[in-house]
Amino acid sequence: MTVPQMDPPLDLADADLLSPEAVIDPYPLMAALRERDPVHWSERYRSWFVMRFDDVSAALRDDRFSSDRIAPYRRAKLEAADPGVQAAFGVLEDWMVFKDPPDHTRLRRLLNRAFTPRAVSAIRPRVLELADELLDAALARGGAVDLVGDYAYPLTASVIAEMLGVPREDHPRFKDWSDQITGLVFGSLGNPQRYAAGAAGLGELAAYLSELVRRHEREPAEDLISALIAARDDDDALSPDEVVSTGVLLLFAGHETTTSLIGTGLLALVRNPDQRALLEADPALAESAVDELLRYDGPAKTVARVMAADVELRGRTLRRSDRVFLCPASANRDPEVFTDPDRLDITRHGERQLGFGLGLHYCLGAPLARLEAAVAIPRALERLPGLRPVDTELAWHPVLLSRGLRSFPVHV
Ligand code: HEM
């Protein structure tokens, strides 16, 4: 690890994106870092934080910022760990998001054969139907509704589970598994029990999917698991373990983040009634609204990389094996790129935001996430016209990698 060469401004030396204030609203701290210490060394996290749009964009396209961050961690930290935790990290190690070329190229190419634009656009009517079922149930119950737990979460979980071919009666089990896996992927917050619970959840989910893969091998269906099994590139195909691991990735990536976008997006619109009125008056704005909501308060707070070589950046030396958090949430509020960046403006267009990443690992599920949010957000506003937040402090997930509400209770 590196000793920084220049001291950060005194008041930023101990900047903490997980302080209670920054978990609620990280943007003032991000603005200060962006301006005064844009490549920030954090002693607390023993990591670099890269804050400016240009630097984050360049790093996302630079292979010296490696995505292979599980294998070295597993070797360094987990040798003595519980076999369940070891096995769980084995599944994560097969995720393309944690791989560099050529392994990444191979997995992404095979997955592209299964996860096609056609498969995504075919799902639109089903998303609307599921959204309506959940809103009907919420309206029938009356009182307060949690737009995260009662709406966004079950909606996005059902969409990806149905796409994969998971039978409906098994969908509720995914919530527990997914909650547990969050501890493993987004960090244990210093609590080893979160790792153990994450490993247990991942183990159960992988066992469940292995059985599902075997069933689909015998009886192929019109779903993603069958498409993943069938995906071929010359003589290459995914191994059964890779199909399971990719299934876990899609289930996890497919709904944690999209849940956050729908929840936080609805909050942003409720807090900006002029923008909400604009969207309600013109549903054709849904697509650009989703892009702006991703920019304004999207789920990708940071993405992690490990340095594969020494790199000089704004007078700092990032050394090989250093951990780096590239910060799309900060880049997306960079005033060098976005006019009036702290203002929500759903008619904004032309500026490229980094909420789905950039480069080789650009979010594979972006079209699906866009579609889900563009259906779910306007539909909730339309069906719950009088919605207003319950008067209580909102709880946010206290993690570095992702930004999202734990719950968003509203009166309907
Ligand atoms: C609003 C929702 C979403 C957001 C904000 C989001 C964000 C991201 C980001 C920032 C990355 C790049 C990570 C990196 O560079 O390390 C990524 C990658 C990825 N996302 Fe998403 N994502 C969302 C929804 C989805 C959905 C719905 C799926 C699939 C069903 C999905 C599947 C993936 C996969 C497979 C990758 C890895 C791609 C690769 O490594 O080549 N995501 N996502």
Side-chain angles (χ1 to χ4, degrees):
M1 283 286 176
T2 316
V3 178
Q5 304 84 338
M6 286 183 308
D7 290 333
L10 260 188
D11 56 332
L12 290 178
D14 199 28
D16 182 7
L17 278 172
L18 288 186
S19 71
E21 312 81 66
V23 166
I24 294 170
D25 179 5
Y27 298 106
L29 178 56
M30 286 179 181
L33 287 170
R34 205 169 45 233
E35 203 171 299
R36 288 156 48 215
D37 193 22
V39 179
H40 170 75
W41 170 255
S42 164
E43 196 53 41
R44 180 188 302 267
Y45 299 109
R46 309 283 307 157
S47 302
W48 296 99
F49 285 78
V50 176
M51 310 305 289
R52 287 194 185 161
F53 186 96
D54 287 353
D55 296 339
V56 175
S57 310
L60 284 169
R61 293 174 182 280
D62 184 337
D63 59 11
R64 295 172 301 173
F65 290 74
S66 165
S67 287
D68 183 7
R69 51 199 186 269
I70 296 290
Y73 180 79
R74 188 168 168 220
R75 280 195 296 275
K77 294 246 170 130
L78 293 173
E79 261 157 19
D82 167 85
V85 174
Q86 287 264 15
F89 272 83
V91 174
L92 297 187
E93 224 174 291
D94 268 345
W95 284 11
M96 70 172 81
V97 69
F98 297 137
K99 289 201 180 287
D100 290 334
D103 295 341
H104 171 264
T105 323
R106 170 183 167 260
L107 287 173
R108 178 122 186 172
R109 209 163 42 213
L110 285 166
L111 193 51
N112 271 334
R113 302 213 176 258
F115 201 84
T116 57
R118 210 169 127 238
V120 171
S121 59
I123 197 90
R124 179 182 280 273
R126 186 67 187 130
V127 177
L128 188 58
E129 200 174 15
L130 284 166
D132 276 339
E133 274 175 29
L134 292 163
L135 293 167
D136 287 342
L139 285 164
R141 268 197 317 274
V145 171
D146 174 7
L147 288 175
V148 171
D150 297 331
Y151 182 56
Y153 203 103
L155 175 67
T156 55
S158 294
V159 169
I160 190 65
E162 283 191 14
M163 283 182 85
L164 277 164
V166 175
R168 188 142 200 199
E169 63 274 15
D170 293 336
H171 291 184
R173 301 167 72 187
F174 284 95
K175 175 168 170 28
D176 294 339
W177 289 332
S178 185
D179 283 350
Q180 290 165 338
I181 296 171
T182 306
L184 211 60
V185 179
F186 287 162
S188 67
L189 307 175
N191 175 356
Q193 277 168 352
R194 266 171 67 94
Y195 262 154
L202 189 52
E204 284 175 34
L205 174 56
Y208 175 90
L209 285 178
S210 298
E211 178 48 39
L212 199 68
V213 168
R214 279 195 289 276
R215 222 181 307 153
H216 278 66
E217 278 168 345
R218 291 191 303 269
E219 299 162 32
E222 284 286 309
D223 56 36
L224 258 179
I225 291 276
S226 299
L228 288 172
I229 295 169
R232 288 266 176 289
D233 196 45
D234 298 327
D235 286 339
D236 194 15
L238 296 172
S239 70
D241 278 354
E242 285 171 341
V243 173
V244 169
S245 181
T246 303
V248 176
L249 168 61
L250 291 177
L251 274 168
F252 181 79
H255 79 118
E256 285 294 334
T257 40
T258 317
T259 296
S260 296
L261 175 61
I262 295 171
T264 316
L266 281 165
L267 174 68
L269 289 167
V270 167
R271 285 182 171 167
N272 292 272
D274 60 324
Q275 300 298 305
R276 175 180 173 179
L278 265 181
L279 178 60
E280 283 169 338
D282 183 1
L285 284 174
E287 314 278 320
S288 70
V290 165
D291 247 44
E292 171 65 351
L293 292 166
L294 260 172
R295 182 200 71 80
Y296 178 76
D297 203 5
K301 203 191 279 182
T302 66
V303 297
R305 293 291 187 263
V306 174
M307 297 311 299
D310 293 359
V311 170
E312 294 287 328
L313 189 58
R314 295 200 190 272
R316 305 285 177 130
T317 309
L318 284 56
R319 298 221 183 266
R320 192 184 152 84
S321 343
D322 282 358
R323 186 165 56 171
V324 184
F325 289 99
L326 307 173
C327 198
S330 165
N332 282 341
R333 299 263 189 134
D334 190 331
E336 294 287 321
V337 179
F338 301 97
T339 318
D340 206 357
D342 294 325
R343 194 165 64 85
L344 180 73
D345 173 3
I346 64 168
T347 62
R348 209 184 267 274
H349 55 84
E351 300 140 331
R352 172 126 202 224
Q353 50 85 14
L354 300 179
F356 283 126
L358 191 71
L360 289 183
H361 292 276
Y362 179 79
C363 177
L364 183 105
L368 176 61
R370 280 207 170 92
L371 184 155
E372 289 183 81
V375 170
I377 292 175
R379 196 63 170 171
L381 295 175
E382 185 188 335
R383 298 278 319 274
L384 312 172
L387 84 83
R388 65 200 153 78
V390 169
D391 189 16
T392 168
E393 202 165 292
L394 291 169
W396 296 84
H397 291 296
V399 289
L400 280 179
L401 287 168
S402 160
R403 167 130 173 107
L405 287 165
R406 285 178 155 167
S407 65
F408 181 20
V410 296
H411 296 291
V412 297

